[in-house]
Amino acid sequence: MEAIKREKIYTIDDIYALPDAERAELMDGQIYYMDPPSRTHQRLVSKLNQNIANYIDSHNGDCEVFPAPFAVFLNKDDFNYVEPDISVICDSSKVDEKGCHGAPDWIIEIVSPSSKHMDYYTKLFKYHSAGVREYWIVDPAKEQVMAYRFEKETMEEYSFEKDVPVGIYEGFSIDFRK
């Protein structure tokens, strides 16, 4: 009789036990290590965060925007922990000093060569099933944005030459040319 190898299931405690310099996410008990972000990646996160925060502030909105690293405990369990590049959360009861407990309303991920499969497939499924309302995949190499509006069950592709409308905020769009 052959022994069956069991995969180790990790928890949030394992994430918190990582050395300070290591960043990782946890999905369904599996750890996924993250490479340090590039300059382009950080520039996009900074500008998007600034645009979204300015819009929310100028409209006296109730939502808050958080750039990475910001903990999102997606399924309110010990086996799922992500750090989206940008999280917009409109229900303040989900947020405490540790992070967001449950699905943010809007998540933006900036694709890097090492995160491509994760952003386009794994996280797309996880975010949809967790109840995220809107998910953007921003791909600097392709100069495109894929905007998934899960409530309306739509997906639209935009080039960086177009304004990208924000589904959770009517009348708000982001100009990637800037």
Side-chain angles (χ1 to χ4, degrees):
M1 187 161 157
E2 195 172 314
I4 297 173
K5 183 183 173 201
R6 292 195 180 178
E7 243 178 69
K8 179 165 173 46
I9 301 296
Y10 295 92
T11 68
I12 291 169
D13 289 339
D14 295 306
I15 293 290
Y16 285 134
L18 291 173
D20 286 343
E22 274 189 62
R23 287 188 53 221
E25 295 178 305
L26 180 70
M27 282 180 264
D28 298 323
Q30 296 303 303
I31 291 181
Y32 299 90
Y33 294 93
M34 296 186 287
D35 288 339
S38 69
R39 183 173 142 235
T40 299
H41 183 281
Q42 288 302 90
R43 182 181 291 139
L44 279 165
V45 169
S46 179
K47 289 294 185 186
L48 287 165
N49 185 71
Q50 181 181 13
N51 271 285
I52 296 164
N54 288 345
Y55 179 84
I56 292 169
D57 290 347
S58 69
H59 289 80
N60 298 314
D62 293 328
C63 302
E64 286 187 87
V65 59
F66 298 95
F70 181 73
V72 174
F73 306 94
L74 255 190
N75 297 7
K76 298 183 186 178
D77 62 24
D78 284 343
F79 308 105
N80 291 281
Y81 167 98
V82 292
E83 292 183 2
D85 290 316
I86 300 214
S87 301
V88 177
I89 301 150
C90 301
D91 179 352
S92 63
S93 72
K94 290 182 178 181
V95 182
D96 66 15
E97 288 304 311
K98 285 191 168 201
C100 176
H101 302 271
D105 293 86
W106 178 20
I107 288 178
I108 299 174
E109 294 284 9
I110 314 297
V111 175
S112 62
S114 65
S115 74
K116 198 172 282 194
H117 186 271
M118 192 68 121
D119 293 335
Y120 278 103
Y121 301 101
T122 308
K123 287 184 176 180
L124 174 64
F125 173 76
K126 288 302 288 182
Y127 293 161
H128 182 262
S129 62
V132 172
R133 294 168 54 199
E134 185 163 355
Y135 174 43
W136 285 15
I137 301 170
V138 177
D139 193 328
K142 294 181 179 179
E143 294 190 352
Q144 78 174 20
V145 178
M146 295 181 73
Y148 292 87
R149 295 177 184 97
F150 296 131
E151 290 178 317
K152 295 180 181 176
E153 297 183 7
T154 64
M155 186 282 288
E156 294 181 61
E157 253 180 74
Y158 300 90
S159 76
F160 278 12
E161 299 300 313
K162 303 272 185 193
D163 284 5
V164 182
V166 177
I168 68 166
Y169 289 115
E170 191 153 330
F172 177 37
S173 63
I174 294 180
D175 182 355
F176 276 82
R177 290 169 294 228
K178 295 179 181 178

